[in-house]
Each structure stands twice: as C-alpha cells, then as structure tokens.
C-alpha cells in the first residue's frame, strides 16, 4: 500500500522557497541596474519562481486536511526544494546567454546552491557583473538552507547521527518548542559573519562588489569568485581575512550560538571543534614544511599558501590562492586526502564531517582496548554524551556508504571517458562540495571539458553529497513509499 504523504506541507514549503527565490532574483535586478546591465534574465526567472510558488500555494489550499508532519515529508521537501532551486536558478544563465547550454547552466546552478563551487566557466570575468552576483548569491542562499537542514531538520529525524554533533540534549529541548527563535539566532550569526567579512575585506582595499561576492562564497563555504584568479591576486591581508572566515564558516554553528551566549564551558567541551582545529593545524604544518623546504618560498609565504589551501579544502570552500598542482607531489596528495575530511557538523561545510571521523577514531580506539580487555565494558562518548549503538551504526554506515557512492561515481565517470585521476577527484570534490579537484579539474582548470553525461552525473553527486546521502538514497527504497 502506498504511503500517505502530507502534500499540504510539501506545497507550503515549496511555495515559500520559490517566493524567497523570486525576491533574491529581484535583488539581482537592482545590481543589474547599478551596472547598467539587462534586468530581463532576472525578471523572467523571478516570474517563473513566483508562478511556481503561487501554483504550490493553490495546490496546498486544495488539500482538504493536513496530516501530521512526518519524516517522509521532510525527505521529500529537502530533495524537491534543492532540485527546484537548481532548475529555476539555471534560468538567468540561459536567458542572458552567459551559459547557453542547459546542462552547463544546470551544473553551475547546482554547484552554486549546493555550495560546491565547481564551474564550467572558462573566462569568468567576461560575464555581466549581475550574473556573477547571482552566481555568488546562490551560494549564500544554499548556505542558509544547509544550516537549517543540518541543525534543525536532520537532528529531529536522527539522520546519520546528526543529533550527536549538531545539538547537545539541552539544545534539542530548546529547539523543539522554539524553532523560530533558534532559527532567527542562527540567521543572525550567518548574516553577522557575512557583514563582518565584508567590512574586513573593504578595509583591505577590496571594492564593495567583490567584497560581497567573496563574503557570500566564504560564509557559505562555496568558493565562487567573480575573478578568474580567485584569491591569488589579492594581498596577504585579504588572504588572511578569507582564511579566518573560512575557518569560522567550517565551525559548527551551535558553537557560534554558544559563543554568542558566552557559554564558553560548552564551547571548550566540544570535542569535534578540538579535532577540527587539530587536523587543520597538523595538515597545514606538514604542507608548510614541504613548501618551505622544497619550493623556495619564504616561511610566511609558505605558511599562508599552505594554510589557506588546507582550510579551503577541509572546509570545502574551494577558493584558491595558488595552483596547488604545482606543489611537490606530497603536498597536493595530502590535499586530495583532505577532501574526504570535511568541516564540522552543523556548519556550511560539506564532506564526511569531522564529527564522524572522530566517531570512527573512537570506535577504533575502543576496539583495540577491548582486544586487550575482552570483558571490559567501554561506552562510546562524544562531547560527554553517550553514543547509542543505533546512532553509532548510523554514523559508521554513513562513512561506508560515502565511499561506496564515491567509488561508483568514479567508475561511472571513467566509463564516460574521463581519465582516472580526473574522474576520482571530480567525484570527490563534487561530493564533498569543495570545487576544484586534482588533475584536469584542478584549480587552474575547470569542468567544461567533461562530457554532458558526466556533468549530469556530477550534478547528481553534488546533490547527494550536500543532502547527506541518506536524504536522497532513502527515496529510492521501496519501504519509503509504503504506508
């Protein structure tokens, strides 16, 4: 028997999302007017978004009664919302002629909303500034969506053990009756980080337009830049500012929430935060040493170049301050491995996430301890909370499933005619939401040369990775559609 789906709430959320998208497109019309560019692409796209929103609102009203909100609706809402955002988001590229091909436009749009940052554009700077502003704005919109998804929606569904890392038990109790107030606090933090970064970039001499675009890409850990050279052409000050804000964006937003409330005890007790900073420090230090010893860079330049790229890759932002494919093999190989780390859970970063790696490490540590003492009872704790067996299995299964999807995606890309290095790194970087990869999809290249079928596969991979695998995979199971 087919499952009873609450269509009313699905249409309601889709309607609101489309209205938000229409307002965002209207904002781009203002940017187009400032730079004396055509407003038609955004006007037409906004009308389409508004029409879909209106249609969804009408369909919602036709539902005679609203059934209780369940997990199945959440999975559908999340998946349908990102698909619709990506499809409508591709229209400005197509209508303006900036990206004439549908597959390319869709790829760029999916990359934006999933905060991936991979691009098919060969010459970014020839595009209208309003189109590039829209391109960066898709990051920022997608980042807000991810914060809501991983901090409010997923913990309530207990997807992949999110409730362990995004929220402590006390925080979960606060969110249930106060979703709106907590959501507002998180939005204030998100906007506050964006405004703060814009201010610091302006102080460094970056113009307002570029400051806004780069702030959108940083706080959302997206990585789209309005310049071909990304961050490479800017001063060391600008690079340090972006470096710091990438690190902050890759931090669990609940940590920011506690910092805002001056609850430093909870911040200090967060094991994932410590693990995250430790991994950045260790990998950054190793690559600094390699660049200093092997490339002739001075210590400060080696430190800045190494830590910028390490933070950019681990937080899945994807900004480039240098072509790391020109580094010694050990350096860029370590970066490739870092693509599988990810930032903190509850941040805008993608990837497996530090929380899950921490859980895997603690499982290995516990297993070794039990080999020495078979009868010992060794509970697994993270952030001081006891991890249940079901939650632990969910986390370990997610990590296993992540690599299975990576392997299948890489194989499909090879079958489509992409070389092995580019196939594996393109899947790794798209799945983690990073942007540039290794080989022919590295920081000095792009994804334009890939076949259309490959771009569609990678677009799907971006959505799967960004929506935490389970959200989409579960839709393909028979049990999901049963009552």
């Amino acid at each position: 028997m087919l499952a009873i789906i609450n269509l009313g709430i699905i249409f309601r959320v889709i309607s609101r999302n489309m209205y938000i998208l229409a307002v965002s497109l209207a904002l781009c019309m203002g940017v187009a007017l400032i730079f004396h560019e055509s407003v038609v692409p955004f006007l037409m796209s906004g009308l389409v978004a508004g029409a879909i929103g209106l249609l969804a609102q009408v369909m919602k009203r036709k539902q005679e009664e609203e059934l209780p909100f369940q997990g199945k609706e959440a999975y559908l809402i999340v998946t349908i919302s990102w698909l619709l955002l990506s499809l409508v988001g591709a229209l400005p590229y197509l209508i303006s002629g900036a990206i004439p091909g549908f597959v390319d436009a869709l790829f760029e749009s999916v990359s934006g909303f999933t905060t991936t940052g991979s691009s098919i554009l060969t010459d970014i700077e020839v595009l209208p500034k309003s189109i590039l502003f829209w391109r960066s704005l898709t990051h920022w919109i997608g980042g807000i969506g991810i914060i809501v998804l991983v901090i409010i929606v997923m913990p309530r569904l207990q997807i992949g053990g999110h409730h362990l890392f995004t929220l402590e038990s006390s925080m979960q109790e606060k969110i249930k009756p106060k979703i709106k107030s907590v959501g507002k606090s998180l939005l204030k933090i998100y906007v506050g980080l964006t405004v703060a970064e814009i201010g610091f970039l302006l102080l460094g001499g970056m113009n307002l337009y570029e400051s806004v675009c780069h702030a959108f890409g940083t706080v959302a850990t997206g990585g789209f830049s309005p310049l071909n050279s990304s961050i490479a052409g800017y001063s060391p000050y600008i690079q340090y500012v972006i470096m710091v804000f990438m690190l902050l964006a890759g931090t669990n937003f609940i940590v920011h929430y506690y910092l805002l409330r001056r609850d430093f005890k909870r911040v200090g007790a967060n094991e994932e935060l410590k693990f995250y900073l430790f991994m950045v420090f260790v990998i950054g230090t190793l690559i600094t040493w390699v660049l200093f010893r092997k490339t002739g860079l001075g210590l400060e330049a080696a430190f800045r170049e190494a830590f910028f790229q390490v933070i950019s890759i681990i937080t899945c932002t994807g900004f480039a301050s240098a072509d790391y494919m020109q580094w010694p093999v050990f350096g860029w190989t370590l970066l490739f491995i870092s693509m599988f780390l990810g930032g903190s859970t509850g941040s805008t970063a993608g990837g497996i996430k530090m929380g899950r790696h921490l859980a895997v490490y603690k499982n290995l540590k516990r297993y070794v301890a039990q080999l020495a003492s078979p009868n010992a009872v060794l509970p697994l704790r993270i952030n001081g909370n006891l991890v249940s067996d079901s939650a632990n299995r969910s986390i370990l299964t997610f990590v296993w499933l992540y690599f299975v999807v990576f392997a299948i995606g890489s194989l499909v890309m090879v079958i489509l005619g992409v070389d092995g290095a580019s196939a594996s790194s393109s899947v790794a970087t798209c799945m983690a939401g990073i942007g540039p990869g290794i080989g022919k999809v590295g920081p000095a290249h792009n994804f334009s040369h890939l076949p259309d079928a490959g771009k569609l596969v990678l677009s799907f991979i971006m959505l799967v990775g960004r929506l935490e695998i389970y959200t989409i995979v579960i839709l393909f199971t028979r049990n999901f559609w049963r009552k």
Side-chain angles (χ1 to χ4, degrees):
M1 185 180 294
L2 291 177
I4 299 176
I5 304 295
N6 184 349
L7 296 177
I9 193 168
I10 292 175
F11 286 131
R12 185 172 70 202
V13 174
I14 289 174
S15 175
R16 290 179 180 178
N17 287 340
M18 288 297 103
Y19 289 151
I20 291 172
L21 189 62
V23 172
S24 301
L25 288 161
L27 179 63
C28 292
M29 290 175 61
V31 175
L33 289 172
I34 291 173
F35 290 105
H36 308 290
E37 297 170 351
S38 175
V39 300
V40 172
F42 306 109
L43 176 61
M44 294 180 66
S45 303
L47 290 174
V48 171
I52 295 174
L54 184 60
L55 177 62
Q57 188 173 355
V58 171
M59 294 298 292
K60 184 262 177 187
R61 289 177 179 173
K62 288 184 177 181
Q63 301 301 310
E64 293 183 1
E65 58 177 315
E66 281 205 4
L67 300 167
F69 179 74
Q70 301 175 20
K72 291 184 178 182
E73 286 77 19
Y75 293 118
L76 284 170
I77 286 169
V78 168
T79 304
I80 293 172
S81 293
W82 251 272
L83 283 172
L84 277 176
L85 286 171
S86 299
L87 287 168
V88 177
L91 292 179
Y93 301 127
L94 290 168
I95 296 171
S96 67
I99 304 177
F102 171 75
V103 172
D104 284 349
L106 179 64
F107 182 93
E108 202 77 11
S109 181
V110 172
S111 182
F113 283 111
T114 58
T115 72
T116 301
S118 300
S119 180
I120 53 83
L121 296 175
T122 55
D123 189 354
I124 296 169
E125 295 174 31
V126 300
L127 268 63
K129 290 187 181 297
S130 55
I131 291 292
L132 294 179
F133 181 83
W134 167 244
R135 183 170 173 260
S136 295
L137 183 58
T138 58
H139 273 340
W140 202 74
I141 296 169
I144 292 175
I146 291 301
I147 291 298
V148 172
L149 178 67
V150 300
I151 290 183
I152 295 179
V153 177
M154 284 186 170
R156 299 177 75 198
L157 299 176
Q158 297 190 350
I159 298 176
H162 268 80
H163 56 297
L164 289 175
F165 309 116
T166 57
L167 304 171
E168 297 177 8
S169 57
S170 60
M171 189 67 184
Q172 291 180 48
E173 292 170 2
K174 291 177 183 177
I175 275 195
K176 288 178 182 177
K178 298 182 179 179
I179 291 179
K180 288 186 178 180
S181 63
V182 173
K184 287 179 181 178
S185 295
L186 295 174
L187 180 59
K188 287 178 182 177
I189 294 169
Y190 192 81
V191 173
L193 287 173
T194 306
V195 172
E197 184 180 356
I198 292 172
F200 280 109
L201 292 176
L202 288 172
L203 289 175
M206 186 183 287
N207 65 52
L208 179 60
Y209 170 78
E210 292 178 9
S211 295
V212 172
C213 288
H214 285 115
F216 284 169
T218 305
V219 177
T221 63
F224 277 156
S225 171
L227 301 180
N228 292 324
S229 59
S230 189
I231 311 300
Y234 289 109
S235 67
Y237 167 84
I238 294 291
Q239 293 181 15
Y240 277 118
V241 167
I242 292 177
M243 193 188 307
V244 169
F245 278 91
M246 284 193 295
L247 193 66
L248 291 173
T251 301
N252 192 328
F253 268 62
I254 293 300
V255 171
H256 294 306
Y257 180 87
Y258 284 136
L259 283 172
L260 196 65
R261 297 174 64 88
R262 298 182 181 179
D263 194 343
F264 302 115
K265 183 179 179 181
R266 290 187 185 276
V267 174
N270 191 293
E271 291 182 276
E272 185 188 29
L273 176 63
K274 296 175 185 177
F275 189 70
Y276 166 56
L277 296 176
F278 174 76
M279 293 303 294
V280 169
F281 174 77
V282 170
I283 298 173
T285 301
L286 284 173
I287 295 181
T288 297
W289 180 82
V290 170
L291 295 182
F292 180 64
R293 294 295 300 272
K294 303 291 185 180
T295 66
L297 286 174
L299 184 58
E300 185 278 330
F303 170 86
R304 174 165 39 89
E305 192 169 304
F307 271 87
F308 187 98
Q309 291 306 146
V310 167
I311 294 172
S312 181
I313 294 296
I314 287 180
T315 62
C316 306
T317 305
F319 279 138
S321 63
D323 182 2
Y324 50 74
M325 291 306 299
Q326 302 302 315
W327 290 357
V329 175
F330 176 80
W332 61 256
T333 300
L334 200 53
L335 273 188
F336 176 71
I337 295 171
S338 300
M339 290 181 180
F340 295 95
L341 294 177
S344 301
T345 313
S347 72
T348 56
I352 294 175
K353 302 291 196 309
M354 289 295 175
R356 294 192 182 98
H357 287 295
L358 179 61
V360 171
Y361 167 73
K362 290 203 170 192
N363 272 281
L364 290 172
K365 186 178 178 181
R366 184 175 67 167
Y367 178 73
V368 172
Q370 285 181 327
L371 288 177
S373 305
N375 297 323
V377 178
L378 303 172
L380 187 67
R381 294 183 181 275
I382 295 179
N383 294 341
N385 298 322
L386 182 66
V387 181
S388 67
D389 289 340
S390 61
N392 193 35
R393 284 195 300 271
S394 179
I395 294 166
L396 296 179
T397 301
F398 179 92
V399 175
W400 175 84
L401 187 58
Y402 190 97
F403 284 104
V404 168
V405 173
F406 163 72
I408 293 173
S410 299
L411 179 61
V412 171
M413 292 299 290
V414 170
I415 292 173
L416 292 174
V418 182
D419 66 278
S422 298
S424 59
S425 71
S426 65
V427 172
T429 191
C430 286
M431 194 170 177
I434 296 170
I438 303 295
K440 294 180 181 178
V441 291
H445 303 85
N446 53 56
F447 291 70
S448 62
H449 63 280
L450 297 178
D452 281 354
K455 292 170 187 173
L456 290 174
V457 169
L458 292 178
S459 296
F460 179 72
I461 289 291
M462 283 188 269
L463 287 169
V464 170
R466 182 73 276 188
L467 300 184
E468 299 285 338
I469 302 179
Y470 286 132
T471 310
I472 290 183
V473 170
I474 198 171
L475 298 180
F476 294 93
T477 63
R478 186 179 299 175
N479 287 338
F480 178 86
W481 300 101
R482 288 180 176 174
K483 184 175 179 181

